[in-house]
Each structure stands twice: as structure tokens, then as C-alpha cells.
């Protein structure tokens, strides 16, 4: 005799069979609407495992990448020496400058459009297509110009210039692919591409120095890796070419063009200091400054890695709490980054001798690291505030802020490098990024509530001032005991701010697609 449970199961199956099924376009539309942007959980909430997991993956990837670079870079500095390594540093800085014109700001547009479902993703791929076309254009035009100048006898060694042209074009294509991977929440692919384009290129460059210990050999190997990865990025990102999506291109071109001066300004802020060091302090000055920047940018790299998970999470918050949650989580990230800056400052006397050879000025590099390491904290806060302007379509205002700040940094940085030296240039860089954050925050606060005030931010500011002040006044190894004492204070501050983040998010921890 069949059981009562089996009868219920049969009735359920018959009811499901009799129910009308969604077919045709309506079913496809339903799937696009529900599957295009799945909800994620909120950071700082018990249900916030996905954002936290992705953020941890990005940070671990950045940590492994940075650790590998720390291990590999001493081989490059020892193989090339201060002068040749200075030529490499200037060439890579110029290439990064060209890349940032098309890369800075565009990924945020891709992220914003990606969260609008299937149609928004097509718009995002159009933006990716604009980035790729710009990158290929830079590479082709730059290569032609270098060949013409070399043929005319104007350029004696074309390899560094070719590395700048081809490397910047390839890096732009790589940045476009990374924007898609980040928006599509594929952190592992993002990390693999980022590591290959940095550590992989460095290792091949070091290998090329075994053939000839020159800047040209290093840059040849480095650039070859970037070009190969740039071609692979086109296959992964699947850009929508502007000439095939003319209507969407006309619609998306104005905000994209407004970000071009923003990108150029960000390049000046992030990369021009190495060029200024080489201009006013010579190749040896650039060779001293670049290792300090690479080591001091560790916190900046962690801030960027956190933003890869944090930025999408902000846009997926409900509109009622989005910017309140962004402000609270931004302060928490700033406190965590401050702890990282303290740890790096304390270990600098041991890291620098491992990072560079005995022919480098260790004392100057240690002092520069103690200063530059604090640049990542205001930069993370700036990234959060910039999301407000991009979401509200104020890309022109964002460009005005960054261009004004960059012009001030270029002038003040040149004066500091010429009169004070490398230490003055490093201080100006930190001040410029702090100014960029402060102005962006003021403008963003007029468009949406962005709560960044409070005692946790004051704790971070005091610790930063103590670290920078002691390093500049009494030497790079001064004040380390005070910084160690600041670590438990920052830990308590982070726990207190985490409670604020939990209160700022939605009550049930759910997050809905933006737009």
C-alpha cells in the first residue's frame, strides 16, 4: 500500500506538470533579469561572505604579487646597477603614464554599466572597446614615430622608446580586460592576469639581462611579455568595437572623453615623480627613488586590491544606505591600511638591504619608504568618494579636481625635487593625494551623504604624522617603538569601526543590483 508521502509527491509532480511554463522571449527576459546581476552579501554583515571572500582573494593575490616582486627586484637592481636601472625606471614610468590616460576612470564606467543588467553590459563592452582602440592606437603611432626618428638619426637607441610605445598599448588592453574580470566578479582571472603582466614581465626582463646587462635587454624581454598578454586580453574581454555599436558609442563617448584629462592627471599623480626625480636628480636619483616607490607602494597596491571587491559591493548596496555604507567601510579600510603602513615602516630597515644591492643609498630609500607608504590611505578614501561622482554622472567635475591637483603636484614636486631633494618630492606626493581625497570628499558630500568624520580617522591621521615626522627629522629608524605601540590602538579602532559598518548596511545583509 503506497504511503501518504508518496501520494503527496505524485500530486506535487502532477501540479508542476500542469503548471504553464514560461517559454519564448518572456522566459529569456526573465532569465536575463534575474541572472544578469546576482545579489551579493554586504561587507561587515554576518551574511557578507562573498564580498569578504573576493576582497581576501584580491589582497592575497596582491600580497603574493608584491612578495614575488620583492624577491625578483633585487636581481634586477644587481644585474643593471643604479644608472641602467634608472633608465628602466624612467621608461616604465613613461609607459605607465600613457596607460593611465585610458585606464584611470574607465574601469569605473565599466563597473557602473555592468551592474545595469544585460543592456548595461553591452554598454560596458563598448567602453572596453574604446580603451582597446586607444591602446592599439598608442602602440601603433608610437612605434611608427620611433622608427621614423631612429631612421633619421634623432634617436640613438630605439629600444627604450619602443618599449614605451608597445608596452603602453599592451598594458591598456590588459587594463581593459581586468576591468571586465573585476566587474564580472572573477578575482582569480584578474589575479592571474595582474601577476603575469608584472612578475612575469619582470622575470623575463631579468632573464634577458643574462644576455646583455643593459636597460635595452631588460626592456625587450619585459615588453615581449606585455604584448603577448595584451593579445590574450582581447580574447578574454571580448570588446564591442565602436564602429559596430555606433549608437551606444555616441551615447558613451561624452563621459568617456571627460575622463581622458582625469586619466592624464592621475598619471601625473601616480607616476610622474619618478620622471621628476630623474630630471632633477639624474639617473642615479631615479635609480634611488624607484625602489623606494616600489616598496612604499605596497599599501597603495593593497588599497587597489581591496577596491576591486569593495567598488562592486558599493554599487550593489540598496540606494537608501549605499553611500552611508560606503563612508563607514571606507574609514574601516583606511584604518586597516594604516596598520599595514605601520608594519612596513617598522620592517623597512630589514627590507631595504634585501631589496637593493650595497651600491644604493639605503638610508635615503628607507626614509622615502617611511613617507610614501602613507599615500595609499588617502588614495583609498579618494576611490570611494569618486564612486559618488561617477554614479551621478559628474565625470567632468572629477576630471577638474584631478587635473587641478595634478598641476599643483607637478609644480610643487619639481620645485621640491630641485631644491629639497628626493625626500621633499615624496612629501609633496603624499600631500597631493591627501588634497585629492579632501576635495573629492567635499564635492561628493554635496551630492550624497558620505560620513567620513569621527575619531577613527583622527587616529589614522595622528599615526601618519608621527611616522612621517620622525622619519624626516631624526632618521628612518627613529620612532619605531612608538609605531609598534600604535598597532594595538589601530586594532581597537578597526574593531570599533567594523561595528559602524555593520550598522550602516541593510538590516538583513541583502544587497540588490544597482540601478
Amino acid at each position: 500500500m503506497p504511503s501518504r508521502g508518496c501520494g503527496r509527491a505524485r500530486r506535487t509532480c502532477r501540479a508542476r506538470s500542469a503548471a504553464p511554463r514560461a517559454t519564448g522571449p518572456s522566459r529569456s527576459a526573465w532569465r536575463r533579469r534575474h541572472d544578469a546581476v546576482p545579489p551579493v552579501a554586504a561587507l561587515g554583515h554576518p551574511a557578507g561572505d562573498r564580498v569578504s571572500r573576493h576582497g581576501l582573494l584580491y589582497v592575497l593575490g596582491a600580497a603574493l604579487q608584491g612578495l614575488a616582486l620583492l624577491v625578483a627586484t633585487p636581481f634586477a637592481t644587481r644585474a643593471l646597477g643604479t644608472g641602467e636601472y634608472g633608465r628602466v625606471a624612467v621608461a616604465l614610468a613613461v609607459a605607465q603614464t600613457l596607460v593611465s590616460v585610458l585606464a584611470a576612470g574607465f574601469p569605473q564606467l565599466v563597473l557602473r554599466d555592468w551592474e545595469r543588467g544585460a543592456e548595461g553590459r553591452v554598454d560596458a563592452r563598448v567602453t572596453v572597446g574604446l580603451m582597446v582602440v586607444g591602446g592599439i592606437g598608442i602602440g601603433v603611432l608610437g612605434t611608427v614615430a620611433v622608427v621614423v626618428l631612429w631612421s633619421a638619426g634623432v634617436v640613438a637607441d630605439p629600444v627604450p622608446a619602443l618599449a614605451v610605445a608597445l608596452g603602453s598599448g599592451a598594458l591598456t588592453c590588459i587594463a581593459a580586460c581586468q576591468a571586465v574580470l573585476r566587474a564580472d566578479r572573477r578575482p582569480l582571472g584578474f589575479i592571474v592576469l595582474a601577476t603575469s603582466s608584472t612578475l612575469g614581465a619582470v622575470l623575463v626582463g631579468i632573464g634577458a639581462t643574462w644576455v646583455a646587462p643593459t636597460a635595452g635587454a631588460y626592456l625587450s624581454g619585459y615588453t615581449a611579455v606585455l604584448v603577448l598578454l595584451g593579445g590574450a586580453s582581447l580574447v578574454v574581454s571580448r570588446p564591442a568595437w565602436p564602429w559596430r555599436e555606433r549608437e551606444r558609442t555616441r551615447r558613451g563617448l561624452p563621459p568617456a572623453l571627460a575622463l581622458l584629462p582625469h586619466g592624464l592627471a592621475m598619471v601625473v599623480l601616480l607616476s610622474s615623480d619618478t620622471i621628476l626625480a630623474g630630471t632633477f636628480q639624474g639617473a642615479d636619483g631615479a635609480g634611488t627613488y624607484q625602489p623606494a616607490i616600489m616598496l612604499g607602494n605596497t599599501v597603495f597596491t593593497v588599497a587597489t586590491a581591496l577596491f576591486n571587491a569593495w567598488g562592486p559591493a558599493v554599487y550593489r548596496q540598496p540606494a537608501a544606505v549605499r553611500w552611508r555604507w560606503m563612508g563607514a567601510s571606507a574609514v574601516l579600510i583606511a584604518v586597516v591600511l594604516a596598520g599595514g603602513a605601520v608594519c612596513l615602516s617598522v620592517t623597512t630597515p630589514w627590507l631595504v638591504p634585501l631589496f637593493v644591492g650595497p651600491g644604493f643609498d639605503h638610508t635615503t630609500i628607507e626614509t622615502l619608504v617611511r613617507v610614501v607608504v602613507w599615500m595609499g590611505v588617502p588614495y583609498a578614501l579618494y576611490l570611494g568618494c569618486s564612486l559618488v561622482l561617477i554614479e551621478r554622472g559628474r565625470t567632468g567635475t572629477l576630471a577638474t579636481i584631478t587635473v587641478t591637483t595634478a598641476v599643483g603636484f607637478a609644480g610643487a614636486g619639481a620645485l621640491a625635487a630641485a631644491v629639497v631633494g628626493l625626500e621633499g618630492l615624496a612629501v609633496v606626493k603624499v600631500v597631493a593625494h591627501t588634497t585629492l581625497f579632501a576635495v573629492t570628499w567635499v564635492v561628493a558630500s554635496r551630492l550624497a551623504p558620505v560620513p567620513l568624520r569621527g575619531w577613527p580617522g583622527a587616529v589614522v591621521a595622528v599615526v601618519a604624522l608621527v611616522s612621517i615626522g620622525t622619519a624626516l627629522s631624526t632618521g628612518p629608524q627613529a620612532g619605531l617603538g612608538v609605531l609598534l605601540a600604535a598597532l594595538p590602538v589601530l586594532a581597537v579602532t578597526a574593531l570599533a569601526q567594523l561595528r559602524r559598518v555593520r550598522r550602516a548596511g541593510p538590516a538583513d545583509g541583502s544587497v540588490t543590483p544597482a540601478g
Side-chain angles (χ1 to χ4, degrees):
M1 184 175 180
S3 66
R4 189 173 298 175
C6 294
R8 281 198 299 268
R10 285 195 295 271
R11 286 194 296 272
T12 302
C13 292
R14 285 196 296 270
R16 289 177 178 173
S17 300
R21 297 193 177 194
T23 59
S26 61
R27 184 173 177 84
S28 299
W30 185 90
R31 281 185 172 177
R32 283 196 303 269
R33 194 165 54 250
H34 287 76
D35 296 341
V37 186
V40 298
L43 178 67
H45 191 278
D49 55 344
R50 179 174 296 180
V51 173
S52 302
R53 184 171 64 252
H54 284 188
L56 181 61
L57 284 174
Y58 282 118
V59 172
L60 287 177
L64 291 174
Q65 179 182 348
L67 180 61
L69 284 174
L70 290 179
V71 173
T73 301
F75 291 96
T77 57
R78 285 169 170 80
L80 296 174
T82 306
E84 288 294 308
Y85 189 75
R87 293 181 62 201
V88 170
V90 172
L92 295 182
V94 174
Q96 191 62 48
T97 298
L98 295 175
V99 172
S100 299
V101 173
L102 290 176
F106 278 62
Q108 281 87 330
L109 289 181
V110 173
L111 176 62
R112 183 196 65 182
D113 292 336
W114 199 271
E115 300 305 321
R116 295 192 291 105
E119 288 299 311
R121 294 190 175 192
V122 178
D123 291 337
R125 293 193 186 277
V126 171
T127 304
V128 171
L130 292 173
M131 291 180 66
V132 170
V133 169
I136 293 175
I138 289 176
V140 172
L141 294 177
T143 301
V144 171
V146 172
V147 171
V148 170
L149 293 175
W150 179 55
S151 301
V154 178
V155 177
D157 185 5
V159 175
L162 284 174
V164 169
L166 295 175
S168 59
L171 282 172
T172 302
C173 297
I174 292 170
C177 183
Q178 288 177 316
V180 173
L181 293 173
R182 183 183 67 178
D184 201 31
R185 297 192 302 279
R186 289 188 277 172
L188 292 179
F190 184 101
I191 292 168
V192 169
L193 184 57
T195 304
S196 301
S197 60
T198 51
L199 176 62
V202 168
L203 291 177
V204 173
I206 293 173
T209 61
W210 293 349
V211 179
T214 62
Y218 181 95
L219 291 172
S220 297
Y222 190 97
T223 306
V225 175
L226 295 183
V227 171
L228 292 176
L229 291 174
S233 297
L234 297 182
V235 178
V236 176
S237 61
R238 295 185 293 117
W241 303 110
W243 52 85
R244 294 184 179 178
E245 298 285 350
R246 297 182 180 179
E247 181 59 33
R248 294 179 188 271
T249 301
R250 280 195 293 267
R251 215 169 45 235
L253 202 55
L257 290 177
L259 284 175
L260 287 178
H262 164 75
L264 182 59
M266 290 305 300
V267 170
V268 173
L269 286 169
L270 296 176
S271 304
S272 66
D273 49 334
T274 300
I275 300 174
L276 291 175
T279 302
F280 293 99
Q281 298 293 327
D284 289 346
T288 301
Y289 192 82
Q290 182 66 8
I293 289 295
M294 294 180 66
L295 191 57
N297 273 354
T298 303
V299 173
F300 172 86
T301 303
V302 173
T304 306
L306 288 173
F307 180 73
N308 290 326
W310 176 44
V314 170
Y315 279 132
R316 294 188 189 106
Q317 294 293 319
V321 301
R322 181 176 303 153
W323 304 120
R324 184 181 67 193
W325 183 85
M326 187 280 291
S329 57
V331 175
L332 174 61
I333 290 174
V335 176
V336 173
L337 292 175
V342 169
C343 292
L344 185 61
S345 298
V346 170
T347 56
T348 293
W350 295 273
L351 289 177
V352 170
L354 297 175
F355 196 60
V356 295
F360 288 78
D361 186 352
H362 288 193
T363 302
T364 300
I365 293 176
E366 291 174 16
T367 303
L368 292 174
V369 171
R370 286 275 301 270
V371 176
V372 174
V373 70
W374 291 98
M375 179 192 70
V377 176
Y379 182 73
L381 297 173
Y382 155 77
L383 287 176
C385 295
S386 69
L387 293 175
V388 179
L389 276 68
I390 292 174
E391 195 265 347
R392 299 298 170 89
R394 303 291 293 273
T395 54
T397 303
L398 184 63
T400 301
I401 295 172
T402 51
V403 168
T404 304
T405 307
V407 170
F409 169 66
L415 182 63
V419 177
V420 180
L422 299 178
E423 293 86 351
L425 178 60
V427 171
V428 170
K429 183 165 187 172
V430 175
V431 172
H433 281 79
T434 305
T435 303
L436 177 66
F437 148 63
V439 176
T440 307
W441 174 36
V442 170
V443 175
S445 298
R446 297 176 181 176
L447 303 174
V450 184
L452 296 180
R453 298 182 181 88
W455 65 270
V459 170
V460 173
V462 170
V463 174
L465 290 174
V466 169
S467 178
I468 296 174
T470 53
L472 292 174
S473 60
T474 56
Q477 299 185 17
L480 298 184
V482 177
L483 293 179
L484 285 174
L487 283 176
V489 176
L490 290 172
V492 173
T493 305
L495 292 175
Q497 188 62 27
L498 179 60
R499 297 183 60 185
R500 296 187 178 189
V501 175
R502 292 175 183 271
R503 291 196 300 265
D508 58 354
S510 62
V511 179
T512 56

